[in-house]
């Protein structure tokens, strides 16, 4: 796709009827922020004509930036040398672009390098948020949006996007973001019961195994799982759940059931066997798990990772129920105790240069392991600029072997979509078995 950049500029917050606040204020990063990936994340939305003008969308963004100032700020160091976000209103990157074809000529959008031209570059970016509006001949619009992950997790970002749409429609943007970091005050004395070294952190300078095929080509492909398939999968995965007074035969979620299925299928497609261990890194939102509960309006990262682990031979020989229980239990065990333990461990190891975050953007091959980012409960589809919701939504092209994204299908019928990047030979094998119930 040949995308023509028409303009690129910085847009700053628009303070309606109010005096601009000081530009010397800053928001500190928490341990949840600094332990996550130090990189930009990009999303792609598609809208059919009619669509409001670029000027109207830009004005809405200016208004919402006045409420979410952190997105128009810059990384900075405070007097202690700690990374913070300076609320200096420097602005967000706003790019207008065009493409001389109709959108139907590229539908459905595939997770290929072509879609990288539909959002701003993620390399060497000073801005913490960027937007690219790409207009097609037919009037359709693609919105490429990127933000820095250490500023906000997916849940916070989805709320920002909903607020942007409301501002464009002339509505109140809803509850304002909360930056109160006291939710994560360490305990005194500290208590850490869990092995955070090896989970959220790793020993510095240790080399990550790239697997036996690091020279192979990684291909990312999108898969669609119908509601009928998911219901059958869920029924099968939940068939051996023991009913108790605490858990009266409650079935596993569609997400847990699908993930257990994909874990087994990818393990088989990779040719993993024997006692070799494989694990899945699952992003878990801690807002409802911490006590007291962290408000939904809290803006930042509140995510840790469940790490279900099993031997390859057990995953492949045991039925789906076996994998589903391991996944379910690992997610459930990320409770208030675990999150508080992480906070205490991080505080006690603050300044320890021997450990670093395990979320490492330099690792491009995860085999024999996997990572899954679930966007099942995020209101990404609510980004409405005034003419309706998007008809398509997806993450950008990210060819990191084993890192997949799962989200509700835009069909809004209970089905789910997933982008799964694997080595080409493994992907070919996976496609043959991914819809099998065996």
């Amino acid at each position: 796709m040949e995308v023509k950049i028409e303009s690129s500029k910085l847009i700053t917050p628009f303070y309606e009827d109010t005096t601009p606040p000081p530009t010397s204020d800053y928001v500190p990063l928490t341990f949840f922020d600094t332990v996550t990936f130090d990189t930009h994340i990009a999303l792609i939305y598609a809208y059919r004509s009619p669509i409001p003008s670029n000027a109207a969308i830009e004005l809405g963004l200016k208004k919402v930036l006045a409420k979410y100032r952190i997105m128009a700020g810059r990384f900075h160091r405070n007097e202690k040398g700690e990374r913070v976000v300076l609320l200096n209103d420097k602005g967000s990157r706003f790019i207008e672009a065009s493409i001389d074809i109709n959108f139907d000529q590229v539908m459905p959008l595939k997770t290929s390098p072509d879609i990288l031209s539909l959002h701003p570059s993620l390399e060497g970016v000073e801005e913490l948020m960027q937007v690219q509006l790409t207009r097609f001949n037919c009037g359709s619009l693609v919105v490429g949006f990127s933000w820095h992950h250490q500023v906000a997790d997916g849940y916070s970002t989805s709320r920002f996007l909903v607020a942007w749409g409301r501002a464009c429609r002339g509505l109140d943007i809803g509850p304002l973001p909360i930056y109160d970091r006291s939710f994560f005050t360490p305990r005194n004395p500290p208590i850490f019961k869990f092995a955070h070294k090896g989970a959220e952190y790793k020993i510095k300078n240790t080399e990550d195994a790239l697997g036996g095929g690091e020279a192979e080509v990684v291909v990312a492909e999108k898969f669609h799982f119908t509601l009928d398939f998911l219901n059958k999968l869920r029924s099968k995965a939940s068939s051996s759940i023991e009913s108790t007074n605490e858990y009266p035969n409650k079935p596993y979620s569609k997400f847990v059931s699908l993930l257990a299925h994909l874990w087994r299928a990818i393990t088989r497609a990779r040719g993993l066997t024997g006692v070799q261990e494989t694990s899945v890194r699952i992003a878990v939102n801690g807002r409802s798990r911490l006590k007291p509960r962290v408000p939904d309006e809290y803006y930042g990262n509140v995510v840790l990772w469940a790490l279900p682990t099993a031997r390859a031979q057990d995953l492949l020989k045991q039925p789906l129920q076996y994998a589903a229980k391991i996944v379910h239990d690992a997610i459930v065990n990320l409770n208030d105790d675990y999150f508080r333990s992480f906070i205490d461990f991080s505080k006690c190891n603050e300044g320890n240069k021997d450990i670093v975050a395990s979320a490492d953007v330099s690792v491009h091959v995860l085999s024999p392991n996997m990572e899954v980012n679930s966007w099942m409960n995020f209101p990404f589809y609510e980004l409405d600029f005034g003419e309706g919701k998007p008809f398509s939504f997806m993450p950008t092209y990210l060819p990191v072997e084993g890192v997949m994204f799962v989200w509700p299908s835009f069909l809004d019928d209970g089905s789910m979509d997933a982008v799964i990047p694997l080595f080409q030979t493994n992907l070919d094998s996976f496609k043959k078995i991914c819809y099998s119930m065996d």
Side-chain angles (χ1 to χ4, degrees), residues 6-272:
E6 307 288 352
S7 68
S8 177
K9 61 186 178 183
L10 288 176
I11 63 168
T12 55
F14 172 50
Y15 297 101
E16 297 179 273
D17 306 319
T18 61
T19 302
T23 55
S24 57
D25 293 344
Y26 65 82
V27 175
L29 298 188
T30 71
F31 297 123
F32 292 101
D33 298 324
T34 56
V35 82
T36 196
F37 291 96
D38 186 3
T39 189
H40 277 76
I41 306 294
L43 307 173
I44 293 173
Y45 288 87
Y47 297 82
R48 292 198 185 278
S49 181
I51 299 293
S53 67
N54 288 5
I57 295 174
E58 177 184 345
L59 178 59
L61 187 57
K62 283 174 168 282
K63 289 179 178 180
V64 80
L65 285 176
K67 307 298 183 181
Y68 287 79
R69 294 183 67 206
I70 194 169
M71 298 297 262
R74 294 291 185 272
F75 282 132
H76 190 65
R77 296 284 175 181
N78 64 11
E79 62 280 359
K80 297 180 182 178
E82 300 165 330
R83 199 179 204 186
V84 300
V85 178
L86 184 63
L87 305 181
N88 56 10
D89 291 348
K90 287 291 185 181
S92 302
R93 178 66 53 185
F94 189 82
I95 297 173
E96 296 176 277
S98 63
I99 184 167
D100 194 21
I101 57 174
N102 293 330
F103 192 73
D104 286 341
Q105 293 177 250
V106 296
M107 276 294 288
L109 284 176
K110 296 182 179 180
T111 52
S112 71
D114 285 344
I115 66 173
L116 296 176
S117 62
L118 295 175
H119 63 75
S121 171
L122 308 183
E123 301 297 326
V125 181
E126 179 183 326
E127 298 83 19
L128 301 182
M129 190 203 79
Q130 304 180 102
V131 172
Q132 179 176 318
L133 307 183
T134 303
R135 297 273 176 174
F136 286 71
N137 280 347
C138 58
S140 294
L141 173 71
V142 167
V143 179
F145 175 88
S146 78
W147 82 100
H148 199 286
H149 204 329
Q150 290 196 341
V151 173
D153 56 22
Y155 185 78
S156 285
T157 303
S158 65
R159 292 181 64 89
F160 169 84
L161 291 168
V162 172
W164 178 18
R166 291 181 63 85
C168 289
R169 304 198 306 275
L171 303 174
D172 182 273
I173 68 166
L176 297 178
I178 295 172
Y179 300 107
D180 182 3
R181 271 39 183 167
S182 66
F183 297 116
F184 314 124
T185 302
R187 295 171 291 193
N188 187 15
I191 306 169
F192 33 92
K193 308 175 182 177
F194 304 94
H196 300 288
K197 196 184 297 182
E200 297 84 19
Y201 296 100
K202 64 181 180 179
I203 303 298
K204 190 176 182 180
N205 296 329
T206 56
E207 300 211 355
D208 295 278
L210 295 180
E214 61 267 23
E216 293 187 51
V217 175
V218 175
V219 179
E221 191 153 323
K222 181 179 175 182
F223 294 85
H224 179 70
F225 299 96
T226 66
L227 179 60
D228 180 63
F229 178 82
L230 293 170
N231 284 338
K232 290 177 180 176
L233 207 59
R234 189 182 188 192
S235 177
K236 184 175 182 180
S238 306
S239 61
S240 64
I241 294 178
E242 294 183 9
S243 182
T244 65
N245 290 334
E246 187 178 1
Y247 299 106
N249 204 29
K250 184 179 180 181
Y252 297 130
S253 67
K254 289 190 298 182
F255 170 73
V256 166
S257 304
L258 177 61
L259 180 54
H261 168 70
L262 294 177
W263 189 16
R264 297 174 77 238
I266 290 173
T267 297
R268 190 180 303 279
R270 283 170 166 172
L272 303 180

Side-chain angles (χ1 to χ4, degrees), residues 155-156 159 178 285 287-288 293-299:
Y155 185 78
S156 285
R159 292 181 64 89
I178 295 172
N285 184 354
R287 286 169 175 79
S288 63
R293 192 189 196 285
V294 177
D296 289 343
E297 295 80 16
Y298 174 82
Y299 205 79

Side-chain angles (χ1 to χ4, degrees), residues 229-357:
F229 178 82
L230 293 170
N231 284 338
K232 290 177 180 176
L233 207 59
R234 189 182 188 192
S235 177
K236 184 175 182 180
S238 306
S239 61
S240 64
I241 294 178
E242 294 183 9
S243 182
T244 65
N245 290 334
E246 187 178 1
Y247 299 106
N249 204 29
K250 184 179 180 181
Y252 297 130
S253 67
K254 289 190 298 182
F255 170 73
V256 166
S257 304
L258 177 61
L259 180 54
H261 168 70
L262 294 177
W263 189 16
R264 297 174 77 238
I266 290 173
T267 297
R268 190 180 303 279
R270 283 170 166 172
L272 303 180
T273 59
V275 298
Q276 183 172 24
E277 284 196 339
T278 169
S279 65
V280 187
R281 181 181 167 106
I282 308 168
V284 176
N285 184 354
R287 286 169 175 79
S288 63
R289 294 166 185 262
L290 281 155
K291 299 176 183 178
R293 192 189 196 285
V294 177
D296 289 343
E297 295 80 16
Y298 174 82
Y299 205 79
N301 287 277
V302 198
V303 168
L304 294 180
W305 298 272
L307 292 168
T309 303
R311 297 188 302 180
Q313 65 183 17
D314 295 333
L315 274 184
L316 301 181
K317 290 180 180 178
Q318 297 292 334
L320 176 65
Q321 298 93 315
Y322 173 83
K325 185 177 189 311
I326 296 175
V327 171
H328 171 267
D329 290 353
I331 294 174
V332 168
N333 288 337
L334 253 69
N335 53 20
D336 178 69
D337 253 1
Y338 190 92
F339 276 81
R340 293 293 172 190
S341 174
F342 163 78
I343 294 168
D344 290 353
F345 177 87
S346 299
K347 181 61 178 178
C348 289
N349 283 275
E350 198 171 21
N352 183 348
K353 297 182 179 180
D354 293 330
I355 63 171
V356 294

